[in-house]
Every structure is written in structure tokens, then in C-alpha cells.
């Protein structure tokens, strides 16, 4: 009986601490005047889901062209299609453009050399979208993800 009370007390205290942490991170909807204080890159969220048993496509983050080529071979698999995405915390990456004139922050790599070609055009450049303003934001990372054939797409 004492063990049950101690365990329940621990569970209640832990859940209150967790609730307080979440509350400080997310202070209401931005549309309702709240502040959004938790921003993570897509590769981070995929790692968290993977660690918690949620099925997600194979993916990897790279910070250089050499790393992107190496990770493509090791994680995705040489000769397989993948998607390369600029890891910049902004919406509209697919429709954006880079300061060097390269169009789009999301591309399908389905030919040999595409990973190297696209990563070299993205990394070290400013990605400009409707949300970033004219100056854009620096692209210092790209994510490579295995190509999936979806029946439907949902944003949550």
C-alpha cells in the first residue's frame, strides 16, 4: 500500500512537471496571440518519432556535400530515389529560391549525381520564401529521405 502511494505520488509529480514544461514551451496558438517557442527541424522530429516506435522513412541530415553523398550511400542506398530538403525553419521551402538563383528547397533525386548537384546548390546559400523576407535564411543542413509512394498526404 505504501509502495502504491509513493508510486502514484511520483507519477503525479512527474506529470505536473511535464505539463509545466510543455506549457512554458507552447503558450497558446500564434493565431490567438500566443508565442510559438518550440521549433525543430524535420530531421529532429523524424528522429524523435523513430525513437518512439513510429514508422517513418529512412532519413539522414548532412551539413556538407561530402557528407550528403556519404550518407546517401550508407542510409538511403546507392541507386535508390530519395528526396533532398533544405533544413531551414520556414514554410514554403519547396516554392522558395536560393540566393544563387537555384529554385526550390525540396527536390527528388532520381538520377546519379543528383544528391551532389542539389546539395551543392543549397548548402551555404540563403533560402528565400514568402515567410523569410528578401534576405532569406541560411541553409546549413539538408535532409535526405527515402522516396515514399503515398496514397494520400496529410499535414498535422
Amino acid at each position: 500500500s505504501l509502495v502504491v502511494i509513493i508510486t502514484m505520488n511520483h507519477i503525479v509529480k512527474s506529470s505536473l512537471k511535464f505539463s509545466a514544461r510543455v506549457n512554458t514551451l507552447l503558450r497558446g496558438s500564434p493565431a490567438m496571440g500566443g508565442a510559438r517557442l518550440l521549433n525543430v527541424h524535420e530531421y529532429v522530429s523524424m528522429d524523435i518519432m523513430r525513437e518512439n516506435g513510429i514508422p517513418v522513412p529512412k532519413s539522414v541530415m548532412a551539413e556538407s556535400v561530402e557528407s550528403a553523398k556519404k550518407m546517401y550511400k550508407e542510409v538511403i542506398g546507392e541507386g535508390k530515389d530519395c528526396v533532398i530538403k533544405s533544413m531551414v525553419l520556414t514554410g514554403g521551402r519547396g516554392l522558395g529560391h536560393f540566393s544563387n538563383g537555384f529554385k526550390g528547397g525540396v527536390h527528388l533525386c532520381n538520377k546519379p549525381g543528383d544528391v551532389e548537384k542539389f546539395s551543392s546548390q543549397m548548402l551555404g546559400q540563403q533560402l528565400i520564401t514568402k515567410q523569410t523576407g528578401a534576405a532569406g535564411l541560411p541553409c546549413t543542413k539538408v535532409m535526405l529521405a527515402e522516396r515514399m509512394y503515398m496514397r494520400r498526404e496529410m499535414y498535422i
Side-chain angles (χ1 to χ4, degrees):
S1 161
L2 181 60
V3 173
V4 172
I5 292 170
I6 291 171
T7 303
M8 289 302 292
N9 191 21
H10 175 72
I11 291 171
V12 169
K13 282 183 179 178
S14 295
S15 65
L16 288 173
K17 285 179 186 175
F18 178 76
S19 177
R21 283 181 33 211
V22 168
N23 192 33
T24 59
L25 291 174
L26 304 172
R27 297 191 182 161
S29 155
M32 300 299 288
R36 181 176 167 182
L37 303 175
L38 179 63
N39 290 312
V40 296
H41 286 291
E42 188 174 350
Y43 75 90
V44 174
S45 63
M46 289 180 80
D47 287 346
I48 291 168
M49 288 188 282
R50 189 175 294 113
E51 289 167 7
N52 287 282
I54 299 168
V56 293
K58 287 189 248 177
S59 62
V60 65
M61 183 273 298
E63 296 181 280
S64 69
V65 175
E66 294 75 28
S67 176
K69 291 184 339 188
K70 180 180 179 213
M71 292 295 121
Y72 167 71
K73 290 176 184 172
E74 291 177 7
V75 177
I76 306 300
E78 181 114 37
K80 293 187 178 178
D81 289 355
C82 76
V83 177
I84 186 168
K85 297 182 173 190
S86 56
M87 290 291 101
V88 178
L89 291 174
T90 184
R93 291 174 295 163
L95 297 174
H97 65 279
F98 289 88
S99 51
N100 61 1
F102 185 63
K103 303 264 188 245
V106 179
H107 288 272
L108 177 62
C109 300
N110 56 7
K111 292 185 283 225
D114 277 355
V115 169
E116 180 177 9
K117 180 173 84 173
F118 295 145
S119 62
S120 68
Q121 293 290 313
M122 295 177 178
L123 289 165
Q125 300 296 319
Q126 299 290 111
L127 177 63
I128 302 153
T129 72
K130 288 182 179 181
Q131 294 183 8
T132 65
L137 291 171
C139 179
T140 59
K141 299 173 185 163
V142 293
M143 181 182 80
L144 302 170
E146 73 176 319
R147 181 180 187 181
M148 302 301 292
Y149 296 91
M150 302 177 294
R151 291 191 191 140
R152 79 177 183 201
E153 182 176 14
M154 295 173 24
Y155 288 90
I156 53 173

